């Protein structure tokens, strides 16, 4: 770890983000806040997190989905990573600098209940709630999203377009 201009320890990692879709094509977003960074406004984010050593992208997606939402899927539910992004943000007293791969995850149910009991300690205090959104609701919303360009890029991603997003300085 090193330090940046905001004097936070830097954590560099590769991560996976999940576009979780139910059978009605609604997308699951988590509503989060950053208690250690109260100047940051809450946002709606894609579930996901770091890829552990030795894990495949699909294994990390399955593990992250289970940890953050209690939802369990098999490997065939995880689609290919067609959205790549580089991002930095403040989280839990650190500056994260990460490469993210975004994958679609298809569920076999309609808006299943979320159980965040498996969240890691640094995540548990951030969750305000969750919601199943339609693509149109996301596109029309004035809410804050992570990724910030989710309303602009979501439909392109769902249509199978390869997306190489420019670097995002989220916070």
């Amino acid at each position: 770890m090193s330090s940046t201009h905001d004097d936070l320890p830097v954590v560099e990692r590769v991560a996976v983000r999940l576009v979780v879709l139910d059978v009605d094509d609604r997308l699951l977003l988590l509503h989060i806040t950053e208690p250690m960074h109260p100047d940051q406004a809450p946002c709606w984010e894609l579930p996901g997190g770091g890829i552990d050593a030795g894990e495949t992208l699909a294994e990390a997606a399955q593990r992250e989905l289970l940890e953050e939402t209690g939802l369990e899927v098999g490997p065939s539910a995880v689609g290919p990573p067609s959205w790549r992004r580089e991002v930095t943000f403040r989280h839990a007293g650190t500056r994260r600098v990460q490469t993210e791969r975004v994958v679609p995850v298809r569920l076999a149910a309609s808006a299943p209940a979320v159980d965040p009991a498996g969240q890691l300690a640094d995540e548990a205090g951030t969750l305000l709630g969750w919601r199943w959104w339609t693509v149109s609701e996301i596109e029309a919303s004035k809410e804050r999203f992570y990724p910030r360009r989710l309303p602009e890029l979501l439909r392109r991603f769902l249509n199978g377009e390869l997306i190489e997003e420019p670097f995002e300085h989220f916070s």
Side-chain angles (χ1 to χ4, degrees):
M1 285 202 258
S2 61
S3 183
T4 63
H5 67 278
D6 57 14
D7 293 326
L8 294 174
V10 174
V11 175
E12 295 183 34
R13 67 186 193 160
V14 177
V16 62
R17 290 284 168 188
L18 292 72
V19 173
V20 180
L21 297 159
D22 74 357
V23 294
D24 301 312
D25 288 328
R26 289 176 295 188
L27 182 96
L28 176 63
L29 293 176
L30 305 178
H31 197 211
I32 62 123
T33 187
E34 286 288 344
M36 293 185 74
H37 307 283
D39 58 310
Q40 288 181 203
C43 70
W44 291 95
E45 76 171 5
L46 296 175
I51 299 172
D52 292 340
E55 261 185 333
T56 66
L57 192 66
E59 289 167 345
Q62 291 173 272
R63 177 185 49 75
E64 286 291 339
L65 183 63
L66 184 59
E67 284 177 7
E68 293 190 359
T69 69
L71 300 173
E72 193 167 357
V73 296
S76 63
V78 180
S82 60
W83 182 354
R84 178 191 160 109
R85 53 192 317 269
E86 306 284 332
V87 63
T88 186
F89 57 92
R90 292 175 293 152
H91 173 68
T94 65
R95 159 94 24 222
R96 296 285 172 94
V97 178
Q98 60 190 36
T99 298
E100 294 181 343
R101 305 291 191 276
V102 183
V103 298
V105 175
R106 282 277 175 190
L107 302 179
S110 178
V114 170
D115 178 4
Q119 288 192 335
L120 301 178
D122 71 328
E123 298 168 331
T126 67
L127 186 66
L128 298 171
W130 56 87
R131 177 179 162 193
W132 291 94
W133 298 69
T134 66
V135 173
S136 296
E137 287 171 334
I138 292 170
E139 290 172 332
S141 178
K142 300 299 181 203
E143 296 278 347
R144 184 171 182 247
F145 293 95
Y146 180 91
R148 184 174 287 134
R149 294 178 64 206
L150 182 66
E152 173 189 346
L153 298 175
L154 180 57
R155 197 172 296 271
R156 290 170 47 194
F157 172 77
L158 293 174
N159 287 334
E161 186 175 327
L162 294 178
I163 299 170
E164 288 281 340
E165 188 178 356
F167 184 82
E168 179 181 354
H169 191 285
F170 187 76
S171 64

